[in-house]
Each structure stands twice: as C-alpha cells, then as structure tokens.
Amino acid sequence: MKSDIILLGHGSGGKLSHQLLDDVIIPRLSGVAQKDQNDAAVLTSPGGRLAFTTDSYVVDPIFFAGGNIGDLAVNGTVNDLAMAGARPLYLSVGLILEEGLPISELEQVLDSMKAAAAAADVRIVTGDTKVVPRGKGDRIFINTAGIGTFEHDREILGSGARPGDRILVSGTLGDHGMAVLAGREGLELQSPIESDSAPLNFMVADLLSELGDALHVLRDPTRGGVATTLKEIALQSDVDLTLEETQLPVSDAVRGACAILGLDPLFVANEGKLLAFVAPQQSEAALQIMRRHPAGRQAAIIGEVTGQSAGKVFLRTAIGGLRSIEMLAGEQLPRIC
C-alpha cells in the first residue's frame, strides 16, 4: 500500500515503515542496503570498531505499568547497541517538552533515566532540551543516541542466520505493548500486565563470551513484534524460518487480553526481550545462559532456520498446519515506544 501522506502505520516498524525507509528516507540520506540495516551502525575508528545508534520515544501514556518513557528511552538504546554485539558505554539525551508539563513529572522521568543508566552501567554524557508551546507537543518526547565498543572481532548482523540455526527468545511475548495499551485505554484486566522494559546488555555479554562463533544473530523484537523482526532477519539472510506455535512463551494475561482485543501476540511489541540465532549444537547452552538472567528466566527455543531461500517465515500451528507470517501490514498499536 502506497500513500502520499504520512500515516500512523509508517511508525509501526512493519511493512509501511520499511517502505518509508527504503523508498523515501534511506535513498536520500545514506543509501544503506536492506541487508545492512541493523539496530546500530558499526564504524571504524583509530581505536577500533564502534557501534552508534539513535532512537526516539513518543510513547503514550508516558507512565505505564512497569516503567515510563524515561527508562524506556535508556533501555531501548542500550539494547540496540547490545544487539550489534557491542558493549554500551555512552548515551545522549534530547528532551522535547510541551509547555504545561508538571516539573514533578519531568523529575520522575529523569530519575528513571538515571536509574536505568546505572542498571545498564552506561553514562549519559550530553544532551539538549527544547520546549514547544502548549498543544504543539504531547507532554514529552525523548531522543537518545548511544555509542558502544566491541570487545571481540565477530560480526553480529541480521544477515548472519544459517540453515539449521535454532531460534531462541529470551522470554514471554507482547508484555510491553499490552501494558501500554492497557494504560492508554484504562483497561481493567483480571491479571495486571507490566512492561518488560529492561537492559539486555549483560545477557548479551554472556552469550558472546560463552557461545563464541555459534552465536549468529541478535535482535530485539520491538515495534512489529517477533513476527516482523523474524521476517526482517529472514529477508536479510535469505533463509526460511519455521516457528513452533506450541513453544511460543506467552503469559496467560497477555494471551487473554490479545484474545479479547483480537490481537496476535506475535505482532505485539516487546522492550526487554531478544531473539538469538544459534548453531544447533549450542542452542541448549544458549538457553541456559539466558535463564541465568532475570530477564531471561522464561527463555525458549521457538523454531529453526529450515533452509536457504528468499525469506519466508512459517508458523507450525498447534494442530500441525503451516501458516505464512508476513510483516505487520498496518498499525496494530501506535505509540508504544
């Protein structure tokens, strides 16, 4: 679907987002090929390789169960650096504040950013603040950029998946997206759902040091969820993937809320989960490494790379059928990060 104007779906992380990037933005700014589009750019410097990334946060509401826009902005950029295999070190913070925002709410957001940076062992070293007139913003938007270094010589790219690789996810699907939706819509759920926003850099450091060359791809399934992220990796690596529906970890609360609202947890955003593609002989070891960390205790092997091809993703259903998985076509849940 082509559009002459920007739609909310262009921010979904799905098919429309890719069209906007590939057809409008990237050709004019950088020319990076689709296969080279990863969570962070890898740069060469006199002191060695650097990872560099940036992201903007417009989540609504700014406070939700399990977090707020502040820790979300820090964790998101830390995780983008970690998914490139880098050690996150330094962040910048850009604040766009709307006239009328209570100072107490800004202080709460900043305190959360400070705590999140300390938990991830990164430093916030520079930033900028702008204020826009009342009605010209939405309380607060945050941009964060980050720099990390590499303590190994391996390349962890979206194009690295290989036939036979096992696909692991570090925990339950859809918690962040459903927590934000519940807060926005005032849904009273029988079992509360909290965002999974968390730093993953320490888990990644252990995977890198203990798995060595058996670790091929890392990616955090944020906008568009696990389904869209796996489709991106399949296209970048020219492989087919098959997921096992019975192995997908989904909490009862998220499963129930998705069923009521007609949503698929595979397409709901996560902010504290990662996907890893690992050589089959090391997949059980990878699972145990993830489960040592608080954010990985419900890690699972959810599928495998079934062959070299043009980037198809299938879900083997609980009754044995095969369902084709495509990128999120529109906007299922806007402004979840």
Side-chain angles (χ1 to χ4, degrees):
M1 180 174 67
K2 295 281 187 179
S3 173
D4 294 331
I5 59 172
I6 293 296
L7 306 172
L8 272 177
H10 284 117
S12 69
K15 190 173 292 185
L16 284 177
S17 295
H18 282 265
Q19 285 179 355
L20 185 67
L21 285 170
D22 294 337
D23 298 344
V24 179
I25 297 175
I26 288 179
R28 288 168 173 81
L29 297 183
S30 70
V32 175
Q34 185 186 58
K35 287 183 179 296
D36 298 323
Q37 294 174 25
N38 294 291
D39 285 334
V42 178
L43 310 173
T44 301
S45 77
R49 291 188 302 156
L50 297 174
F52 181 42
T53 190
T54 186
D55 208 339
S56 298
Y57 297 85
V58 298
V59 64
D60 175 34
I62 61 174
F63 298 98
F64 45 84
N68 63 53
I69 191 172
D71 51 62
L72 182 68
V74 171
N75 291 333
T77 294
V78 165
N79 290 343
D80 281 346
L81 293 169
M83 295 308 120
R87 177 188 175 195
L89 290 177
Y90 303 110
L91 302 186
S92 72
V93 174
L95 301 170
I96 299 176
L97 311 176
E98 183 185 16
E99 179 187 22
L101 176 73
I103 294 292
S104 60
E105 291 190 4
L106 176 60
E107 289 174 335
Q108 189 174 344
V109 168
L110 296 176
D111 288 343
S112 295
M113 298 186 81
K114 180 180 179 181
D121 194 22
V122 298
R123 290 178 57 200
I124 297 172
V125 293
T126 189
D128 180 55
T129 302
K130 296 289 190 297
V131 178
V132 297
R134 195 184 301 266
K136 300 295 184 182
D138 200 350
R139 304 175 74 185
I140 179 171
F141 296 147
I142 300 177
N143 174 272
T144 46
I147 291 176
T149 57
F150 292 89
E151 299 176 347
H152 55 83
D153 58 3
R154 300 194 297 280
E155 291 188 335
I156 306 296
L157 304 172
S159 57
R162 306 172 191 178
D165 278 356
R166 300 298 189 263
I167 305 168
L168 290 80
V169 67
S170 61
T172 53
L173 311 186
D175 302 78
H176 175 73
M178 295 311 299
V180 172
L181 178 65
R184 183 186 307 166
E185 303 299 331
L187 301 180
E188 294 187 7
L189 302 173
Q190 195 167 21
S191 300
I193 302 172
E194 289 195 351
S195 168
D196 58 3
S197 175
L200 300 172
N201 49 321
F202 300 119
M203 184 191 299
V204 168
D206 285 351
L207 290 169
L208 286 165
S209 66
E210 297 182 40
L211 296 181
D213 293 337
L215 179 62
H216 299 154
V217 181
L218 290 167
R219 190 68 66 83
D220 54 343
T222 54
R223 291 178 304 167
V226 165
T228 298
T229 303
L230 289 178
K231 182 68 177 180
E232 291 172 353
I233 294 170
L235 289 169
Q236 286 183 282
S237 299
D238 293 326
V239 295
D240 285 349
L241 315 178
T242 299
L243 303 179
E244 301 292 337
E245 185 177 35
T246 56
Q247 301 304 310
L248 296 174
V250 183
S251 73
D252 290 342
V254 168
R255 193 184 300 280
C258 284
I260 292 170
L261 298 169
L263 302 174
D264 186 339
L266 269 175
F267 291 91
V268 178
N270 316 271
E271 288 291 344
K273 303 290 163 40
L274 64 80
L275 293 163
F277 284 59
V278 179
Q281 61 272 24
Q282 290 294 316
S283 58
E284 283 297 328
L287 195 61
Q288 297 312 312
I289 293 169
M290 288 182 179
R291 288 176 175 174
R292 293 203 307 251
H293 292 264
R297 288 185 180 140
Q298 293 175 291
I301 299 173
I302 60 172
E304 63 181 300
V305 180
T306 47
Q308 204 81 39
S309 185
K312 298 175 182 175
V313 180
F314 299 99
L315 176 71
R316 193 186 316 279
T317 67
I319 59 172
L322 275 184
R323 168 187 153 200
S324 180
I325 300 292
E326 299 295 333
M327 287 187 184
L328 187 63
E331 179 57 286
Q332 188 171 239
L333 298 174
R335 297 186 61 185
I336 46 75
C337 62

